[in-house]
Amino acid sequence: MSTGNEELGKAREKIDAIDAELQKLISQRARVAEEVREIKLRNGGAAGDHYRPAREAEVLKRAMARNEGPLPDEMMARLMREIMSACLALEAPLSVAYLGPEGTYTQAAVYKHFGHQVAARAVSAIDEIFRDVESGIASYGVVPIENSTEGVVSSTLDLLANTPLSICGEVWLPVHHQLLSRHERIEDVQVVYAHPQSFAQCRRWLDTRLPGAAREPLASNGAAAKRVAESGQGAAIASAAAGELYGLRVLAANVEDDPNNTTRFLVIGRQNPEITGADRTSLVCSAPSGGEAGALFRLLEPFAGAGINLSKIESRPSRRGVWDYNFFLDLEGHRAEAHVAQALEEVRKRSAFFKILGSYPRAVM
């Protein structure tokens, strides 16, 4: 009769053998990825043009579809994401700009979408992300666009209306805020630092637990954690990763008012991804001036006629005139699909201003 130690030893031998086979297969995949790079270069592809949003979305969807457990589908996709990231980095790590400093949720969105083998470049403001990608300093940028409880990030919308870049991907990131500090007791906190959106997402918790503490907004939650780490005073609302990075104590966990709190980010670059069959198109347009009744209805009517679902509509002042607005739309489908293309062309004809911001794969995980 075998003992427990013998059974454990045999199980570990199986794991070791599987690990060796996995390592061999990953190396084989990396070599084929190098072959793909060489084929592209021989056929006129540009060096550094090795990230394909549509292709990567398809690979991740297939990884989830063939998953047999016991690991969850998203965990399997995350493992595949890291393998893909490492293989892409064999040519050169992708440079991706994000709202810094280190420890922000935008940085977490970068790693979720691209994997950890990228050259993540921290900048201090959202407009700097656009400038870095427009100038070629970064290949891509990741910018926050909306939160499930607090709505859109207006500055991102305004920048999208005027950039030559395209949206080429999206990231959905569950956001769980921690109250981080060097203090040992929550009662010692006299000031809280955070991004304004984070204050809004934690308003009820702060009103109940820290009603007397001052609230000082900063450009990012990473900056808030860094401020508290350097000063030793107050507390920051930021991620658990930021707490680990800056050596801060978690005084209270998950202080967001909505446990389903989620932020959506956009990936901006120069690519126009191909059709995947699970795509989203974003655009901005405006109705002709004059204030005629039904102008917005007539502008958007072609989408209803084509059976196209609008998943979001937001208005922003156009800055072309008083009470003149741009309408930012998200619709289901790709601009290259015939029925979508036809509807977009009809909307373009009816618009005073019209710009397609991008067609891109919907978030896979």
Side-chain angles (χ1 to χ4, degrees):
M1 180 180 296
S2 62
T3 65
N5 285 339
E6 289 175 341
E7 291 175 343
L8 187 59
K10 290 180 180 178
R12 286 173 172 165
E13 287 177 3
K14 289 181 182 179
I15 288 176
D16 290 342
I18 293 170
D19 286 348
E21 187 64 23
L22 279 173
Q23 189 172 345
K24 183 191 299 183
L25 291 172
I26 291 170
S27 295
Q28 289 178 9
R29 189 191 194 283
R31 283 190 286 271
V32 174
E34 289 181 318
E35 290 179 22
V36 169
R37 178 194 66 198
E38 296 303 321
I39 292 169
K40 287 181 179 178
L41 290 175
R42 285 198 304 269
N43 288 276
D49 184 22
H50 52 301
Y51 170 69
R52 294 290 177 181
R55 164 67 179 167
E56 303 220 352
E58 287 295 325
V59 172
L60 294 176
K61 284 191 287 187
R62 284 201 294 270
M64 296 172 75
R66 63 174 173 252
N67 182 37
E68 298 179 353
L71 294 178
D73 288 351
E74 182 165 331
M75 179 62 72
M76 187 62 71
R78 284 178 178 270
L79 291 171
M80 182 59 72
R81 169 73 275 173
E82 292 300 331
I83 293 172
M84 294 162 66
S85 180
C87 290
L88 285 171
L90 288 172
E91 178 173 344
L94 289 171
S95 176
V96 182
Y98 71 93
L99 181 62
E102 287 188 274
T104 62
Y105 293 106
T106 314
Q107 184 186 36
V110 168
Y111 290 142
K112 182 177 182 180
H113 187 79
F114 289 97
H116 284 70
Q117 301 306 310
V118 294
R121 173 182 171 81
V123 299
S124 59
I126 292 176
D127 62 334
E128 291 184 31
I129 300 173
F130 281 82
R131 283 200 295 270
D132 272 14
V133 183
E134 289 170 1
S135 66
I137 294 174
S139 300
Y140 295 92
V142 173
V143 294
I145 185 63
E146 61 179 326
N147 177 264
S148 58
T149 59
E150 290 303 312
V152 299
V153 181
S154 299
S155 58
T156 300
L157 285 180
D158 293 339
L159 289 161
L160 284 169
N162 297 290
T163 183
L165 303 174
S166 296
I167 302 170
C168 49
E170 66 174 4
V171 191
W172 293 72
L173 187 74
V175 172
H176 299 295
H177 295 302
Q178 321 300 316
L179 187 72
L180 307 172
S181 182
R182 292 202 184 281
H183 296 303
E184 294 185 0
R185 302 185 312 149
I186 194 170
E187 293 80 8
D188 297 328
V189 174
Q190 300 299 313
V191 59
V192 180
Y193 303 96
H195 186 277
Q197 279 247 349
S198 298
F199 277 133
Q201 293 162 25
C202 304
R203 185 184 298 111
R204 291 197 302 274
W205 190 94
L206 289 168
D207 288 346
T208 301
R209 298 294 302 276
L210 285 170
R215 302 176 193 179
E216 185 170 328
L218 294 178
S220 71
N221 295 305
K226 186 177 181 181
R227 169 77 67 86
V228 171
E230 291 174 349
S231 69
Q233 301 299 312
I237 294 175
S239 66
E244 293 177 4
L245 178 66
Y246 293 106
L248 298 174
R249 177 180 290 108
V250 177
L251 288 183
N254 298 347
V255 299
E256 66 277 359
D257 296 331
D258 182 356
N260 297 313
N261 190 31
T262 300
T263 297
R264 179 181 173 225
F265 298 83
L266 298 177
V267 180
I268 55 173
R270 298 189 180 278
Q271 285 214 29
N272 292 303
E274 301 87 357
I275 298 173
T276 69
D279 303 294
R280 194 185 313 279
T281 296
S282 297
L283 66 142
V284 56
C285 60
S286 67
S289 59
E292 297 88 351
L296 181 58
F297 169 78
R298 286 191 294 275
L299 183 66
L300 304 182
E301 187 180 18
F303 294 126
I308 296 170
N309 180 47
L310 294 179
S311 56
K312 184 168 76 72
I313 178 169
E314 295 285 345
S315 64
R316 287 287 297 156
S318 69
R319 302 182 182 179
R320 293 185 296 270
V322 177
W323 312 128
D324 187 73
Y325 291 91
N326 285 332
F327 297 99
F328 291 83
L329 312 174
D330 284 347
L331 59 89
E332 294 181 5
H334 194 285
R335 64 193 295 183
E337 296 178 87
H339 71 296
V340 176
Q342 184 175 358
L344 289 171
E345 177 59 20
E346 185 58 37
V347 173
R348 184 191 66 77
K349 292 177 181 177
R350 302 183 185 194
S351 299
F353 172 73
F354 178 88
K355 180 186 178 185
I356 297 176
L357 303 176
S359 289
Y360 48 94
R362 296 202 298 266
V364 175
M365 58 179 182

